[in-house]
Amino acid sequence: MTEDLSSLLSRRGPIRTVGVVGMGYVGIPAAVLFAAAPAFTRVYGFQRASPSSGYKVEMLNRGESPLKGEEPDLPELLNSVVAQQKFQCTSDFSKIADCDAVTLAIQTPFSNPKDLIPDFSALFDGLRQVGRQISPGALVVLESTITPGTTTGVARQILEQESGMRAGHDFALAHAPERVMVGRLLQNIREYDRIVGGIDEASTARAVELYSPVLTKGRIIPMTATAAEVTKTTENTFRDLQIAAVNQLALYCEAMGINVYDVRDGVASLEGEGVTRAILWPGAGVGGHCLTKDTYHLERGVKVLGGRLDYPAGKESLFVLARQINDFMPRHMFTLTREGLERAGKKVEGARIAILGWAFLANSDDARNTPSELFRDLAIEAGATVTVHDSWVEVYPGVAIGHDLEAVVGGADAVVVFAGHDLYTSIQPAELKRLCGKNHPVIVDGRNIIDPDRFIAEGFVYKGIGRGDKNGHALNG
Ligand code: SAJ
């Protein structure tokens, strides 16, 4: 009788050597924390020697992090595990054969944000590399965000084809989705609970053995691989849904002439034992690489796993509708801008419109899937001249990002706030009006960061998301 996986794993002994494939903002902190754990004796960081990111190998082996921005503790910890020779970055994937456990932290971006189909090619390449090298009794863990059904489906197939072995018999296979956020990578891995889902009980147990040593406050939540895939995509789907709910409310409040933030305060006050409304913040739209795609991973998962879904025929899912509401918000910002210009006796065509904020998040340089882009496209299509300011974003393909606020707003007929950067909260109405050089410049606040009354008093035409109480104000001056 062939040996079962559990006895193969116990014969192999405890996990001592770990490999992490993909030296990005998920893989690097994971590898460093595995290397810092006394339970493990050696950690390899696997990085393809590609023209775009091969430089990371040398850099990491010098103990230097290639990650941008502040990451508390990471530089020191990386330096220390390199000095102790517990961590080594390499492009020699044959060393995977020495690893008791290999994790894949390879990103799965949209190939084209328009069609919302993820590009799994880099992840599949990584799986092929791992499949070719793993030895019997190894554990393979996918950390990337993937469509439910991937681990037990195409990932398992690739690994089995390349290795000639069988998952769940000759090697263990699991999914442990990352939950890291830039700026707190190590803290998130150590302190967040960790979802760990194997294709079978032995795989789950082996993955629990891998992740337990790196957790401090966080606890392991074991489940099946598919449940783990659904958990990860759902946690972002639900956040997107919460944002859509308050965006819909903001549109209603504008139509009813009331202030959505008064309603939000009222609703949020309903707190108590087991009682919450978790009402989030309305805004100019939802960007980033998590919330814009994970809903569609979940939707595809239901189709891929193909069970009979009992749901009202022809009705879109609540989650896809939420995505559509959030993606409508930049269009609503355009409507507010057009209405504001009309109030000032102007058309969009021929107007100068200044966008404040290209990043998708306040005080961040991340502009992936930024809501500002759709607004800019709409304004240009309607014949406006558009300038963009963002002191956090260096460059963006095809868009001139201005870093001199005065230059960007100079002569503007309308100033439109898309990101809630702290810089914009200190803009003074009189100064902005002087820079615009107009009697009634328009200001559209997409992130509720300016005081409507101060700008209205200065003669601005004010429009704000959810500000039904102010959007029809009388003109001053
Ligand atoms: N947004 C709103 N209203 C809100 C919150 C966010 O309009 O109340 C917008 C933001 O402006 C932004 C977008 O949604 O354009 C996404 O914001 P986010 O705070 O969700 O930031 P992300 O996309 O970086 O989300 C990440 C996710 N973390 C991981 O995937 C590991 C998400 O699960 C976290 O909840 C989120 O960070 C977080 O809480 O910081």
Side-chain angles (χ1 to χ4, degrees):
M1 186 187 82
T2 54
E3 185 179 28
D4 74 359
L5 181 58
S6 302
S7 44
L8 179 57
L9 294 172
S10 51
R11 194 154 53 77
R12 177 152 186 156
I15 298 171
R16 290 282 181 254
T17 305
V18 180
V20 176
V21 178
M23 290 289 99
Y25 76 94
V26 175
I28 291 173
V32 167
L33 285 175
F34 285 135
F40 308 123
T41 50
R42 189 137 186 73
V43 176
Y44 291 108
F46 294 98
Q47 175 58 53
R48 287 184 304 185
S50 64
S52 59
S53 39
Y55 71 92
K56 295 181 187 176
V57 178
E58 291 306 311
M59 202 169 172
L60 283 161
N61 286 333
R62 289 198 304 271
E64 284 172 50
S65 166
L67 300 178
K68 294 186 296 183
E70 283 293 303
E71 287 300 341
D73 293 343
L74 186 59
E76 298 77 8
L77 205 52
L78 171 61
N79 230 319
S80 137
V81 293
V82 168
Q84 296 168 44
Q85 298 185 337
K86 282 199 70 181
F87 171 73
Q88 181 196 347
C89 188
T90 178
S91 0
D92 175 5
F93 280 70
S94 69
K95 290 197 172 9
I96 288 174
D98 308 336
C99 295
D100 302 313
V102 187
T103 69
L104 291 103
I106 296 170
Q107 67 167 326
T108 54
F110 282 139
S111 32
N112 161 6
K114 303 282 180 279
D115 63 18
L116 303 168
I117 303 291
D119 176 1
F120 284 131
S121 55
L123 177 61
F124 290 171
D125 283 347
L127 283 164
R128 276 188 279 278
Q129 293 264 24
V130 168
R132 277 183 217 122
Q133 305 295 344
I134 47 169
S135 48
L139 163 67
V140 180
V141 185
L142 283 79
E143 291 201 357
S144 314
T145 301
I146 47 184
T147 300
T150 301
T151 305
T152 56
V154 61
R156 174 180 193 150
Q157 285 151 20
I158 292 174
L159 289 166
E160 291 185 337
Q161 275 155 15
E162 295 295 335
S163 66
M165 295 194 284
R166 287 172 58 206
H169 286 268
D170 309 307
F171 64 91
L173 177 58
H175 176 53
E178 52 83 11
R179 281 176 155 175
V180 294
M181 276 159 266
V182 169
R184 35 194 163 153
L185 298 174
L186 292 187
Q187 180 196 350
N188 286 156
I189 296 175
R190 284 170 165 154
E191 299 182 5
Y192 273 4
D193 291 344
R194 191 73 194 235
I195 309 296
V196 173
I199 61 167
D200 52 36
E201 302 230 329
S203 298
T204 302
R206 193 67 163 174
V208 169
E209 180 192 336
L210 175 65
Y211 287 98
S212 301
V214 301
L215 297 187
T216 54
K217 272 166 59 183
R219 64 190 171 88
I220 298 273
I221 304 179
M223 56 182 76
T224 66
T226 302
E229 292 163 335
V230 175
T231 300
K232 171 63 188 179
T233 48
T234 299
E235 63 191 30
N236 287 333
T237 299
F238 270 39
R239 182 168 174 84
D240 196 54
L241 179 60
Q242 288 175 299
I243 297 168
V246 70
N247 278 336
Q248 174 97 63
L249 176 67
L251 298 173
Y252 283 9
C253 289
E254 285 183 38
M256 294 187 281
I258 56 174
N259 180 353
V260 70
Y261 296 95
D262 291 342
V263 175
R264 183 186 183 283
D265 289 346
V267 169
S269 70
L270 197 57
E271 291 284 7
E273 195 51 43
V275 173
T276 174
R277 291 291 182 271
I279 186 166
L280 290 178
W281 301 93
V286 171
H289 54 294
C290 306
L291 275 59
T292 53
K293 67 175 171 53
D294 288 1
T295 295
Y296 297 110
H297 276 309
L298 181 60
E299 294 294 317
R300 244 192 320 280
V302 168
K303 295 183 181 57
V304 159
L305 293 170
R308 198 184 74 77
L309 174 65
D310 183 17
Y311 184 73
K315 274 237 181 289
E316 214 138 45
S317 87
L318 172 66
F319 304 138
V320 168
L321 183 56
R323 282 275 65 241
Q324 290 166 352
I325 291 168
N326 289 335
D327 284 350
F328 173 73
M329 296 313 284
R331 293 183 183 279
H332 180 55
M333 288 288 286
F334 179 70
T335 300
L336 290 175
T337 305
R338 178 169 45 75
E339 288 173 353
L341 286 166
E342 284 163 1
R343 259 326 279 287
K346 296 173 186 167
K347 290 197 177 71
V348 174
E349 188 180 9
R352 278 179 66 84
I353 298 175
I355 296 175
L356 303 191
W358 195 255
F360 81 87
L361 210 53
N363 305 319
S364 158
D365 66 354
D366 196 337
R368 281 176 283 190
N369 302 310
T370 177
S372 309
E373 187 146 31
L374 171 57
F375 175 91
R376 177 176 175 273
D377 293 346
L378 291 169
I380 289 171
E381 266 164 47
T385 302
V386 181
T387 55
V388 177
H389 177 271
D390 197 316
S391 45
W392 287 83
V393 176
E394 278 305 304
V395 289
Y396 189 89
V399 179
I401 306 289
H403 301 112
D404 173 349
L405 185 57
E406 291 196 7
V408 169
V409 301
D413 297 291
V415 177
V416 184
V417 179
F418 254 89
H421 295 330
D422 291 346
L423 171 67
Y424 304 140
T425 58
S426 54
I427 289 176
Q428 296 308 311
E431 175 59 4
L432 184 61
K433 188 174 182 199
R434 182 185 69 77
L435 291 166
C436 293
K438 304 290 186 313
N439 281 338
H440 296 298
V442 177
I443 184 142
V444 183
D445 187 358
R447 296 292 173 193
N448 189 40
I449 59 166
I450 63 154
D451 174 349
D453 294 332
R454 292 185 58 223
F455 283 80
I456 291 168
E458 199 60 46
F460 279 80
V461 175
Y462 169 88
K463 296 285 183 186
I465 295 272
R467 293 309 301 263
D469 59 324
K470 296 291 179 187
N471 284 349
H473 67 85
L475 266 188
N476 277 315

